[in-house]
Amino acid sequence: MTLWYMHSLVGGASRDTNEADTATSSCATIVCATHNKSRTFKATIETWLANEPAEVIIVASPTSYDFVHRLCSEIESEITVRVLRADKANKRSQLCLGFREAHSKIIMIVDDDTHWSHGILNKLTSPLLAMPKLGCVFPDLRLCVTMRPPSIWEQLALLRHAGAGLNLHASHCVDGGVYCHHGPTAAYRASILQDPSLLVAFPGETWRGNELNAGDDQYLCRWVENHDWETKFLSAHEALVYTGTRQDWTLLLQLLRWSRGDWRSNLCALIWERHIWR
C-alpha cells in the first residue's frame, strides 16, 4: 500500500505547462523496436493508432519479424503501420533503422509494452512545435498493477519506479533538468535522431569493448544535453503513459540491467563527456 501511495503521489507533483494543444497528428511518426511475440502487442499498437500519428514504424528482430508482421496485418486502420526486419536483435540498431525511415518533423520512440492514453500525442508534440530550442518531451509513467494486493514482482517494480520518479520530479522542479528521459515514450525532433553523427555513434557505443544494446534512453538524454537542446518533462496530470512489469524472476535481471545502465551512463556524463560541468 505504501509503495502504491508513493507511486500515485509522485505522479501529481510537478510544474504546469501552458502550451496550447496546437499540434497536428501528421507531424509525428512512432518508431518502436521490438522482440515481442505476444498477441497483447496488438492492443498496445491500437492505443497508439487512436492518437492518429502520421505513421507507425515497427522494427522487429529477425526471430520476431514474421509474428509481428502477421499481427499487424490484422489491424484495421487508415494509418500506415510498417513492419521492418532488422539484421540483428539490437534495440539501438533497430531504432536507427526506424529513424532513417521516418519522414515527419517529430519522432516518437515508444516501447512495445507501453499503452497510451487518448490525446497523449498532441500533448507531447505541442511543446516541440512551440519552443524552437526544445529537443525532447516525455511524459510521466504509471505502472499497471494487475493484482490486489500487488504481487512481489509488482512491489519491486513499484519501488524502482517510485524512486526514479522522485528523483526525476525533484531534479526537474529545481532547475528544469533531468537525469534520464523515460524510455517507454519520448518525443524528439527528427533532426536530432536523424543526425548522421548520432546514427553512427548511438548504435556504436561500447563499454569495455562490448557493443551496448540497452541504455538507449540514457544515451539519448546525454546526446540532447551535450548538443545544447532543452528537455521538457510533463507530469501525470499533463501527460501519462502506462507500462506493465514482468511477473517472474526475470524482473530481477531487468532491475540489474537498469541499475548497471544508470551507473554506466553517470560515469560517462561525469568523467568522459563532462558537458554537465560547463
Side-chain angles (χ1 to χ4, degrees):
M1 181 64 70
T2 301
L3 291 178
W4 178 251
Y5 175 75
M6 289 176 62
H7 188 56
S8 302
L9 181 64
V10 165
S14 187
R15 297 179 296 184
D16 293 339
T17 58
N18 298 316
E19 290 82 10
D21 194 17
T22 58
T24 61
S25 59
S26 61
C27 69
T29 295
I30 294 174
V31 173
C32 173
T34 186
H35 188 61
N36 199 328
K37 290 186 179 181
S38 171
R39 291 199 59 85
T40 59
F41 189 26
K42 179 181 177 182
T44 300
I45 296 171
E46 288 172 343
T47 68
W48 307 344
L49 294 173
N51 282 269
E52 301 183 344
E55 185 180 22
V56 176
I57 299 175
I58 300 173
V59 186
S61 64
T63 57
S64 66
Y65 173 79
D66 291 338
F67 174 85
V68 174
H69 189 272
R70 287 195 302 270
L71 191 71
C72 290
S73 67
E74 301 173 5
I75 297 175
E76 297 181 2
S77 175
E78 296 180 357
I79 299 169
T80 301
V81 179
R82 282 198 286 161
V83 181
L84 307 179
R85 183 189 182 105
D87 294 332
K88 58 182 178 180
N90 180 286
K91 186 177 181 181
R92 297 194 186 199
S93 297
Q94 290 172 246
L95 287 174
C96 286
L97 178 56
F99 298 161
R100 292 186 178 95
E101 292 291 323
H103 300 291
S104 57
K105 296 180 180 178
I106 297 171
I107 295 177
M108 310 290 304
I109 300 178
V110 187
D111 280 355
D112 59 12
D113 61 349
T114 302
H115 290 244
W116 278 9
S117 55
H118 183 72
I120 189 74
L121 181 60
N122 280 345
K123 292 176 181 179
L124 293 174
T125 54
S126 292
L128 286 170
L129 297 179
M131 304 168 66
K133 294 185 178 180
L134 193 60
C136 175
V137 181
F138 64 100
D140 210 343
L141 179 65
R142 183 63 49 82
L143 188 68
C144 294
V145 177
T146 59
M147 303 180 69
R148 294 291 188 275
S151 68
I152 182 63
W153 311 112
E154 289 174 332
Q155 292 183 50
L156 287 173
L158 284 168
L159 182 61
R160 162 74 187 197
H161 282 280
L166 286 171
N167 289 337
L168 181 59
H169 283 78
S171 62
H172 194 64
C173 286
V174 168
D175 61 7
V178 296
Y179 71 94
C180 181
H181 303 161
H182 270 161
T185 293
Y188 293 86
R189 292 190 184 277
S191 59
I192 295 175
L193 299 182
Q194 293 174 336
D195 183 335
S197 57
L198 179 135
L199 293 174
V200 173
F202 180 44
E205 186 184 20
T206 60
W207 181 262
R208 299 178 63 184
N210 298 313
E211 185 181 82
L212 294 179
N213 182 6
D216 53 286
D217 48 355
Q218 294 159 327
Y219 182 92
L220 292 175
C221 181
R222 301 199 317 267
W223 182 276
V224 169
E225 171 67 22
N226 292 345
H227 289 78
D228 298 317
W229 289 97
E230 296 176 359
T231 296
K232 190 172 189 62
F233 167 62
L234 302 181
S235 64
H237 66 280
E238 298 166 304
L240 185 65
V241 298
Y242 302 86
T243 187
T245 188
R246 302 183 184 191
Q247 294 286 356
D248 56 31
W249 65 272
T250 59
L251 174 65
L252 300 178
L253 299 179
Q254 187 178 52
L255 294 175
L256 177 61
R257 286 195 299 271
W258 285 344
S259 179
R260 185 174 57 198
D262 288 344
W263 280 100
R264 183 171 55 225
S265 182
N266 290 339
L267 287 173
C268 288
L270 292 170
I271 299 176
W272 291 292
E273 296 172 351
R274 302 184 62 84
H275 187 273
I276 61 173
W277 299 111
R278 300 173 190 174

